[in-house]
Amino acid sequence: NLVDYFNIKGDYTVFEVKTSPDFQSVNLNDLNLRDKFDANILLVERDSTFIMPSRDTILYANDEIFIFSKRKDIAKISSFFTT
């Protein structure tokens, strides 16, 4: 469910992905996205509200998340949130 992406500079991009309806809620600290994928979540949109995430933020099904990463990693990161 890749919604959009924006090339920032060189190989780096910000992309928007919507978590799947059956996505299991997870705390960002437990997700450890930076170590797993070398990526950061910049913003979460939930029910038309924007959230600047902290390590204690919980991601839920149908959240739209904006992620900063290398372009080559978009597919594997997206699939993590949508399968």
Side-chain angles (χ1 to χ4, degrees):
N1 286 6
L2 181 65
V3 177
D4 203 355
Y5 78 95
F6 316 94
N7 188 46
I8 300 298
K9 189 163 187 137
D11 292 338
Y12 292 93
T13 187
V14 171
F15 65 97
E16 180 182 0
V17 65
K18 186 172 183 175
T19 57
S20 65
D22 57 343
F23 180 79
Q24 296 296 312
S25 300
V26 64
N27 179 292
L28 285 185
N29 191 50
D30 296 336
L31 180 60
N32 207 9
L33 194 68
R34 188 172 221 169
D35 288 340
K36 285 182 185 173
F37 300 112
D38 196 25
N40 290 310
I41 295 180
L42 303 175
L43 187 68
V44 177
E45 183 178 359
R46 180 180 304 137
D47 301 323
S48 300
T49 300
F50 293 97
I51 301 164
M52 292 286 291
S54 70
R55 60 186 290 161
D56 298 322
T57 299
I58 298 173
L59 295 178
Y60 296 99
N62 298 310
D63 278 352
E64 292 186 39
I65 52 179
F66 295 79
I67 302 169
F68 176 77
S69 73
K70 290 186 177 179
R71 187 179 319 127
K72 68 178 182 68
D73 297 327
I74 290 174
K76 69 180 176 182
I77 296 169
S78 293
S79 73
F80 176 82
F81 291 105
T82 59
T83 56

mmCIF file of all heavy atoms in Angstrom, residues 48-71:
data_model
loop_
_atom_site.group_PDB
_atom_site.id
_atom_site.type_symbol
_atom_site.label_atom_id
_atom_site.label_comp_id
_atom_site.label_asym_id
_atom_site.label_seq_id
_atom_site.Cartn_x
_atom_site.Cartn_y
_atom_site.Cartn_z
ATOM 1 N N SER A 48 -7.121 11.478 10.389
ATOM 2 C CA SER A 48 -6.951 12.892 10.011
ATOM 3 C C SER A 48 -6.185 13.715 11.034
ATOM 4 O O SER A 48 -6.228 14.941 11.014
ATOM 5 C CB SER A 48 -8.309 13.546 9.731
ATOM 6 O OG SER A 48 -8.961 12.868 8.679
ATOM 7 N N THR A 49 -5.480 13.058 11.943
ATOM 8 C CA THR A 49 -4.634 13.734 12.916
ATOM 9 C C THR A 49 -3.184 13.367 12.636
ATOM 10 O O THR A 49 -2.878 12.200 12.372
ATOM 11 C CB THR A 49 -4.999 13.296 14.352
ATOM 12 O OG1 THR A 49 -6.362 13.624 14.596
ATOM 13 C CG2 THR A 49 -4.131 13.972 15.382
ATOM 14 N N PHE A 50 -2.300 14.369 12.684
ATOM 15 C CA PHE A 50 -0.885 14.131 12.450
ATOM 16 C C PHE A 50 -0.158 14.001 13.777
ATOM 17 O O PHE A 50 -0.374 14.796 14.689
ATOM 18 C CB PHE A 50 -0.277 15.267 11.624
ATOM 19 C CG PHE A 50 -0.822 15.299 10.222
ATOM 20 C CD1 PHE A 50 -1.853 16.154 9.888
ATOM 21 C CD2 PHE A 50 -0.323 14.447 9.257
ATOM 22 C CE1 PHE A 50 -2.364 16.184 8.607
ATOM 23 C CE2 PHE A 50 -0.828 14.456 7.964
ATOM 24 C CZ PHE A 50 -1.849 15.329 7.644
ATOM 25 N N ILE A 51 0.698 12.990 13.857
ATOM 26 C CA ILE A 51 1.433 12.694 15.083
ATOM 27 C C ILE A 51 2.925 12.706 14.781
ATOM 28 O O ILE A 51 3.382 11.998 13.869
ATOM 29 C CB ILE A 51 1.045 11.296 15.620
ATOM 30 C CG1 ILE A 51 -0.456 11.239 15.901
ATOM 31 C CG2 ILE A 51 1.868 10.926 16.844
ATOM 32 C CD1 ILE A 51 -0.993 9.828 16.051
ATOM 33 N N MET A 52 3.675 13.518 15.529
ATOM 34 C CA MET A 52 5.134 13.460 15.474
ATOM 35 C C MET A 52 5.536 12.323 16.391
ATOM 36 O O MET A 52 5.382 12.427 17.612
ATOM 37 C CB MET A 52 5.746 14.780 15.952
ATOM 38 C CG MET A 52 5.487 15.940 15.036
ATOM 39 S SD MET A 52 6.466 15.872 13.540
ATOM 40 C CE MET A 52 8.084 16.180 14.178
ATOM 41 N N PRO A 53 5.988 11.208 15.836
ATOM 42 C CA PRO A 53 6.196 10.013 16.658
ATOM 43 C C PRO A 53 7.385 10.129 17.609
ATOM 44 O O PRO A 53 8.377 10.782 17.313
ATOM 45 C CB PRO A 53 6.429 8.917 15.628
ATOM 46 C CG PRO A 53 6.963 9.621 14.437
ATOM 47 C CD PRO A 53 6.317 10.972 14.440
ATOM 48 N N SER A 54 7.233 9.476 18.730
ATOM 49 C CA SER A 54 8.329 9.300 19.680
ATOM 50 C C SER A 54 8.561 7.798 19.794
ATOM 51 O O SER A 54 7.825 7.002 19.219
ATOM 52 C CB SER A 54 7.962 9.888 21.044
ATOM 53 O OG SER A 54 6.962 9.101 21.659
ATOM 54 N N ARG A 55 9.512 7.413 20.568
ATOM 55 C CA ARG A 55 9.799 5.984 20.722
ATOM 56 C C ARG A 55 8.633 5.237 21.362
ATOM 57 O O ARG A 55 8.506 4.038 21.226
ATOM 58 C CB ARG A 55 11.091 5.780 21.494
ATOM 59 C CG ARG A 55 11.027 6.378 22.882
ATOM 60 C CD ARG A 55 12.323 6.324 23.624
ATOM 61 N NE ARG A 55 12.592 4.950 23.973
ATOM 62 C CZ ARG A 55 13.782 4.489 24.298
ATOM 63 N NH1 ARG A 55 14.798 5.296 24.340
ATOM 64 N NH2 ARG A 55 13.939 3.235 24.589
ATOM 65 N N ASP A 56 7.749 5.961 22.044
ATOM 66 C CA ASP A 56 6.599 5.343 22.708
ATOM 67 C C ASP A 56 5.337 5.309 21.848
ATOM 68 O O ASP A 56 4.315 4.765 22.268
ATOM 69 C CB ASP A 56 6.292 6.073 24.017
ATOM 70 C CG ASP A 56 7.447 5.987 24.991
ATOM 71 O OD1 ASP A 56 8.087 4.917 25.055
ATOM 72 O OD2 ASP A 56 7.722 6.984 25.682
ATOM 73 N N THR A 57 5.399 5.887 20.661
ATOM 74 C CA THR A 57 4.251 5.894 19.764
ATOM 75 C C THR A 57 3.916 4.465 19.329
ATOM 76 O O THR A 57 4.812 3.672 19.035
ATOM 77 C CB THR A 57 4.538 6.751 18.521
ATOM 78 O OG1 THR A 57 4.806 8.100 18.942
ATOM 79 C CG2 THR A 57 3.371 6.740 17.542
ATOM 80 N N ILE A 58 2.639 4.160 19.299
ATOM 81 C CA ILE A 58 2.179 2.851 18.842
ATOM 82 C C ILE A 58 1.572 3.006 17.457
ATOM 83 O O ILE A 58 0.760 3.900 17.225
ATOM 84 C CB ILE A 58 1.151 2.252 19.825
ATOM 85 C CG1 ILE A 58 1.810 2.053 21.189
ATOM 86 C CG2 ILE A 58 0.579 0.946 19.284
ATOM 87 C CD1 ILE A 58 0.862 1.626 22.278
ATOM 88 N N LEU A 59 1.996 2.150 16.541
ATOM 89 C CA LEU A 59 1.413 2.115 15.204
ATOM 90 C C LEU A 59 0.248 1.141 15.197
ATOM 91 O O LEU A 59 0.335 0.059 15.789
ATOM 92 C CB LEU A 59 2.452 1.664 14.182
ATOM 93 C CG LEU A 59 3.636 2.587 13.967
ATOM 94 C CD1 LEU A 59 4.602 1.975 12.955
ATOM 95 C CD2 LEU A 59 3.185 3.961 13.513
ATOM 96 N N TYR A 60 -0.823 1.534 14.514
ATOM 97 C CA TYR A 60 -2.032 0.720 14.436
ATOM 98 C C TYR A 60 -2.381 0.418 12.981
ATOM 99 O O TYR A 60 -1.876 1.071 12.057
ATOM 100 C CB TYR A 60 -3.208 1.451 15.085
ATOM 101 C CG TYR A 60 -3.046 1.691 16.555
ATOM 102 C CD1 TYR A 60 -2.608 2.916 17.036
ATOM 103 C CD2 TYR A 60 -3.322 0.675 17.470
ATOM 104 C CE1 TYR A 60 -2.455 3.131 18.397
ATOM 105 C CE2 TYR A 60 -3.173 0.890 18.831
ATOM 106 C CZ TYR A 60 -2.739 2.118 19.286
ATOM 107 O OH TYR A 60 -2.586 2.325 20.633
ATOM 108 N N ALA A 61 -3.276 -0.526 12.793
ATOM 109 C CA ALA A 61 -3.794 -0.824 11.463
ATOM 110 C C ALA A 61 -4.380 0.443 10.851
ATOM 111 O O ALA A 61 -4.982 1.261 11.552
ATOM 112 C CB ALA A 61 -4.856 -1.913 11.555
ATOM 113 N N ASN A 62 -4.170 0.607 9.567
ATOM 114 C CA ASN A 62 -4.687 1.735 8.770
ATOM 115 C C ASN A 62 -4.023 3.068 9.065
ATOM 116 O O ASN A 62 -4.497 4.104 8.591
ATOM 117 C CB ASN A 62 -6.206 1.845 8.875
ATOM 118 C CG ASN A 62 -6.882 0.612 8.342
ATOM 119 O OD1 ASN A 62 -6.579 0.161 7.236
ATOM 120 N ND2 ASN A 62 -7.778 0.040 9.124
ATOM 121 N N ASP A 63 -2.940 3.089 9.839
ATOM 122 C CA ASP A 63 -2.164 4.318 9.994
ATOM 123 C C ASP A 63 -1.455 4.611 8.678
ATOM 124 O O ASP A 63 -1.035 3.689 7.968
ATOM 125 C CB ASP A 63 -1.087 4.170 11.078
ATOM 126 C CG ASP A 63 -1.609 4.362 12.478
ATOM 127 O OD1 ASP A 63 -2.777 4.771 12.649
ATOM 128 O OD2 ASP A 63 -0.830 4.108 13.423
ATOM 129 N N GLU A 64 -1.322 5.892 8.354
ATOM 130 C CA GLU A 64 -0.487 6.292 7.232
ATOM 131 C C GLU A 64 0.803 6.823 7.831
ATOM 132 O O GLU A 64 0.780 7.716 8.674
ATOM 133 C CB GLU A 64 -1.185 7.337 6.379
ATOM 134 C CG GLU A 64 -2.380 6.750 5.653
ATOM 135 C CD GLU A 64 -3.021 7.704 4.680
ATOM 136 O OE1 GLU A 64 -2.296 8.450 3.996
ATOM 137 O OE2 GLU A 64 -4.251 7.690 4.603
ATOM 138 N N ILE A 65 1.922 6.239 7.401
ATOM 139 C CA ILE A 65 3.198 6.617 7.998
ATOM 140 C C ILE A 65 4.147 7.126 6.919
ATOM 141 O O ILE A 65 4.152 6.643 5.789
ATOM 142 C CB ILE A 65 3.822 5.444 8.779
ATOM 143 C CG1 ILE A 65 3.911 4.185 7.940
ATOM 144 C CG2 ILE A 65 3.051 5.172 10.046
ATOM 145 C CD1 ILE A 65 4.538 3.017 8.653
ATOM 146 N N PHE A 66 4.915 8.135 7.283
ATOM 147 C CA PHE A 66 5.890 8.745 6.392
ATOM 148 C C PHE A 66 7.265 8.323 6.881
ATOM 149 O O PHE A 66 7.632 8.576 8.029
ATOM 150 C CB PHE A 66 5.754 10.268 6.413
ATOM 151 C CG PHE A 66 4.440 10.748 5.854
ATOM 152 C CD1 PHE A 66 3.280 10.697 6.628
ATOM 153 C CD2 PHE A 66 4.363 11.230 4.563
ATOM 154 C CE1 PHE A 66 2.071 11.140 6.119
ATOM 155 C CE2 PHE A 66 3.148 11.668 4.044
ATOM 156 C CZ PHE A 66 2.007 11.625 4.830
ATOM 157 N N ILE A 67 8.009 7.666 5.982
ATOM 158 C CA ILE A 67 9.263 7.030 6.353
ATOM 159 C C ILE A 67 10.410 7.603 5.530
ATOM 160 O O ILE A 67 10.290 7.764 4.309
ATOM 161 C CB ILE A 67 9.175 5.506 6.122
ATOM 162 C CG1 ILE A 67 8.018 4.925 6.929
ATOM 163 C CG2 ILE A 67 10.497 4.822 6.486
ATOM 164 C CD1 ILE A 67 7.680 3.498 6.584
ATOM 165 N N PHE A 68 11.523 7.876 6.190
ATOM 166 C CA PHE A 68 12.746 8.329 5.538
ATOM 167 C C PHE A 68 13.679 7.134 5.419
ATOM 168 O O PHE A 68 13.963 6.468 6.421
ATOM 169 C CB PHE A 68 13.400 9.433 6.373
ATOM 170 C CG PHE A 68 14.715 9.904 5.824
ATOM 171 C CD1 PHE A 68 14.758 10.754 4.735
ATOM 172 C CD2 PHE A 68 15.901 9.501 6.410
ATOM 173 C CE1 PHE A 68 15.966 11.193 4.237
ATOM 174 C CE2 PHE A 68 17.117 9.945 5.924
ATOM 175 C CZ PHE A 68 17.157 10.786 4.823
ATOM 176 N N SER A 69 14.122 6.831 4.196
ATOM 177 C CA SER A 69 15.027 5.698 3.993
ATOM 178 C C SER A 69 15.721 5.835 2.641
ATOM 179 O O SER A 69 15.469 6.771 1.888
ATOM 180 C CB SER A 69 14.268 4.375 4.035
ATOM 181 O OG SER A 69 13.510 4.203 2.859
ATOM 182 N N LYS A 70 16.545 4.849 2.338
ATOM 183 C CA LYS A 70 17.137 4.773 1.011
ATOM 184 C C LYS A 70 16.087 4.227 0.050
ATOM 185 O O LYS A 70 15.279 3.378 0.405
ATOM 186 C CB LYS A 70 18.360 3.865 1.023
ATOM 187 C CG LYS A 70 19.509 4.477 1.770
ATOM 188 C CD LYS A 70 20.761 3.635 1.650
ATOM 189 C CE LYS A 70 21.896 4.341 2.373
ATOM 190 N NZ LYS A 70 23.132 3.562 2.317
ATOM 191 N N ARG A 71 16.125 4.726 -1.167
ATOM 192 C CA ARG A 71 15.140 4.337 -2.184
ATOM 193 C C ARG A 71 15.117 2.827 -2.400
ATOM 194 O O ARG A 71 14.063 2.220 -2.552
ATOM 195 C CB ARG A 71 15.424 5.052 -3.506
ATOM 196 C CG ARG A 71 14.347 4.830 -4.537
ATOM 197 C CD ARG A 71 14.581 5.544 -5.867
ATOM 198 N NE ARG A 71 15.097 6.883 -5.685
ATOM 199 C CZ ARG A 71 16.216 7.337 -6.276
ATOM 200 N NH1 ARG A 71 16.908 6.563 -7.063
ATOM 201 N NH2 ARG A 71 16.621 8.569 -6.082
#
